[in-house]
Amino acid sequence: MDWNTLATALFGADHGIAQAGDVLHGSVRFDGAALTVIGTTNHAPIGVRLALEQARVVLDTVAQHPGRPILLLIDTQGQMLRRRDELLGINRAMAHLGMSIDFARRRGHRVLGLVYDQALSGGFITSGLIADACDALPEAEIRVMRIPAMARVTKISEDRLTELSRSNPVFAPGVENYVAMGGVRALWTGDLAAALREALASASSEDVRAADGQARGGRRLAAAVIQRVLDAA
């Protein structure tokens, strides 16, 4: 689904979200209340400029509209793989984006992520996975690393990783696997406005991803390990 069709389904034809290059931004009304929308399109690679531009909107919302919910519309191929951005400190820019989202959450803003097209690698980690909750459309594509790349990093053969992916969501791309692991809370189907309404109503600052992954069988040990670490602190 393209972003404009999605925005129309959520907020009506006069939604007020604008596209500037690969960046989406707007202030919309939903159920009588204001909502800040920010996101990307065209499978945008997140480089220094896009990371700082999104962080600015998040921080402006915190400063100018205390408590206003923020919706992140996610469509990214991951971080920008370009020497210029590496030299400019893309790691710091993306960390700044993630910290800005976390800061908004700590200041009482409900921050929701919605993967409506593609979510890969660092571009997803520093946005949807830092939000209070991240949902997705069923046709979305989500992965952090393809199996061939995973094989190069882990030195485990592609055949073995492919075999593992059939029974363990951690090794497999796909939106259903991220639901099983707890990274994606729910899939939005049918009435998308109703799904957003439910997401806003149930948003919590408490991170339940590990608990969801345990309950759904996708990450069986993460919650227990996290608790042991917390207990030992």
Side-chain angles (χ1 to χ4, degrees), residues 98-140:
M99 291 172 67
S100 297
I101 293 172
D102 183 63
F103 176 68
R105 294 175 59 202
R106 293 173 186 272
R107 292 295 295 268
H109 296 258
R110 285 170 293 173
V111 184
L112 302 177
L114 175 63
V115 181
Y116 71 95
D117 195 325
Q118 178 176 274
L120 275 62
S121 194
F124 179 42
I125 293 170
T126 55
S127 57
L129 290 183
I130 295 182
D132 289 313
C134 185
D135 298 331
L137 299 185
E139 62 270 24

Side-chain angles (χ1 to χ4, degrees), residues 9 35 43 55 67 159 179 189 222:
L35 181 74
H43 301 346
D159 290 343
V179 172
T189 58

Side-chain angles (χ1 to χ4, degrees), residues 145 147 150 156 160-174 176-182 213-214 216-222:
M145 187 177 291
I147 285 180
M150 195 183 302
I156 300 173
R160 176 57 175 156
L161 289 174
T162 300
E163 179 185 352
L164 289 170
S165 71
R166 296 191 183 102
S167 60
N168 192 329
V170 172
F171 293 94
E176 297 86 358
N177 289 306
Y178 277 81
V179 172
M181 289 187 289
Q214 183 180 44
R216 298 169 184 176
R219 295 174 68 202
R220 299 180 179 89
L221 300 178

Side-chain angles (χ1 to χ4, degrees), residues 1-4 18-25 38-46 50 54 73-77 116-118:
M1 182 181 296
D2 67 88
W3 75 265
N4 192 46
Q19 177 180 349
D22 292 334
V23 176
L24 308 173
H25 174 222
I38 182 171
T40 51
T41 187
N42 299 323
H43 301 346
I46 308 301
L50 261 64
Q54 292 183 89
L73 297 181
I74 302 165
D75 175 26
T76 175
Q77 61 182 270
Y116 71 95
D117 195 325
Q118 178 176 274

